[in-house]
Amino acid sequence: MAKEKILIIEDEKDIVKMLDYNLKKEGFKALSANNGEDGLDIARKENPDLILLDLMLPEMDGLEVCKAVKNDTKTAHIPIIILTAKAQEADKIVGLELGADDYMTKPFSPRELIARIKAVLRRLKEKDKLPEALKIGDVTIDFSKIMVAIKDKPIELTSKEFELLKILIKAKGRVLSRDYLLDTIWGFDQALEIQTRTVDVHITTLRKKLKNESKRIVTVKNYGYRFELDSDEN
Ligand code: CA
């Protein structure tokens, strides 16, 4: 399992340094941007597990960044913790209304922030938890037994194919980029060496095995894949 990635969007270098140090110490992978535009760019490309967002940023301010993250289907699912100064109490409320998950008022203790990050990630995991088994059209997926069947006939998937199917289903119709799939299934460190074609190759074999239900795996050109659920399963 790849390390959880936290994106820091903050223009104060000392705070970035402090956050970077503390996140890494806790086993997270830390990314950072010192302005909103770059932050959004990294969020789209890297699909972080959480964003720490300073509200007082040059040019594009934190609230605009928050809005942009939540309005983009590629990033809308990423939780945000807002970092504010005392004087910005009102903005903090707006931020929460715009979809941020939590906030911290500066100055804060790294320990408390880490605890908040873990709490937000934990809440999200609870929410995303899959049932033990799921039936989508003709496909039955038993997550606890790691079994897939079509019309009750078990099919054989490799562990990577199973992970791929699981992650696509978990995304509930959202598009997942090739890079994200590589990173999550094959691990970040290996991702540099494995070409993104690996994902396509596995998608092809997975589709073959899913037979009539293969069309549920939709290709999003030059980006990635999504799994089509029936409308009542969304
Ligand atoms: Ca700032």
Side-chain angles (χ1 to χ4, degrees):
M1 183 74 191
K3 282 182 187 176
E4 284 173 305
K5 260 189 279 189
I6 312 291
L7 169 60
I8 307 159
I9 307 179
E10 163 70 89
D11 59 323
E12 280 159 81
K13 286 201 183 86
D14 289 346
I15 295 182
V16 174
K17 224 165 133 185
M18 181 269 280
L19 291 174
D20 184 83
Y21 170 79
N22 282 285
L23 287 168
K24 284 177 179 160
K25 208 174 74 182
E26 286 293 322
F28 292 105
K29 184 177 159 57
L31 306 165
S32 65
N34 58 18
N35 66 69
E37 289 284 349
D38 289 352
L40 285 174
D41 214 35
I42 296 175
R44 286 189 202 106
K45 282 189 190 132
E46 296 280 340
N47 195 22
D49 295 283
L50 186 141
I51 297 174
L52 293 176
L53 176 62
D54 179 36
L55 285 189
M56 287 269 269
L57 291 169
E59 289 152 46
M60 188 178 199
D61 75 32
L63 288 179
E64 284 175 71
V65 176
C66 184
K67 210 191 279 176
V69 168
K70 293 299 169 187
N71 284 338
D72 186 334
T73 53
K74 282 182 193 170
T75 53
H77 61 284
I78 305 170
I80 296 176
I81 297 180
I82 285 174
L83 308 176
T84 70
K86 267 242 158 61
Q88 297 168 279
E89 291 288 300
D91 284 351
K92 164 187 95 191
I93 311 278
V94 178
L96 293 174
E97 281 169 1
L98 286 174
D101 293 79
D102 205 349
Y103 66 90
M104 290 268 354
T105 308
K106 293 176 183 177
F108 50 80
S109 84
R111 251 179 86 187
E112 192 183 350
L113 179 66
I114 297 284
R116 297 277 187 99
I117 290 172
K118 286 181 178 170
V120 169
L121 291 174
R122 199 166 46 234
R123 275 207 303 272
L124 210 70
K125 265 182 210 145
E126 288 296 316
K127 222 172 68 189
D128 275 2
K129 237 186 208 161
L130 291 168
E132 282 207 349
L134 199 66
K135 198 166 160 47
I136 301 163
D138 287 345
V139 190
T140 314
I141 300 126
D142 190 321
F143 296 105
S144 58
K145 292 185 190 134
I146 314 184
M147 258 175 49
V148 180
I150 293 180
K151 290 184 180 169
D152 298 326
K153 262 174 108 180
I155 57 168
E156 293 233 3
L157 296 186
T158 65
S159 62
K160 295 295 186 206
E161 287 165 354
F162 187 83
E163 284 299 309
L164 193 54
L165 181 62
K166 183 169 140 184
I167 210 168
L168 283 166
I169 289 173
K170 253 174 86 173
K172 296 180 177 164
R174 243 168 38 222
V175 189
L176 300 178
S177 74
R178 282 190 183 81
D179 287 344
Y180 174 76
L181 292 169
L182 251 189
D183 186 4
T184 315
I185 299 171
W186 281 269
F188 187 81
D189 295 333
Q190 286 184 51
L192 296 171
E193 287 129 54
I194 301 176
Q195 295 180 349
T196 44
R197 225 178 73 83
T198 307
V199 177
D200 302 344
V201 170
H202 281 77
I203 289 280
T204 306
T205 57
L206 185 57
R207 275 191 179 130
K208 258 186 209 144
K209 292 178 182 179
L210 291 179
K211 296 176 188 162
N212 284 342
E213 298 288 348
S214 65
K215 55 186 177 300
R216 286 185 187 271
I217 301 177
V218 180
T219 306
V220 179
K221 217 177 156 216
N222 296 326
Y223 188 70
Y225 299 95
R226 66 183 183 82
F227 193 90
E228 186 127 291
L229 298 170
D230 298 330
S231 52
D232 59 339
E233 288 159 349
N234 265 311

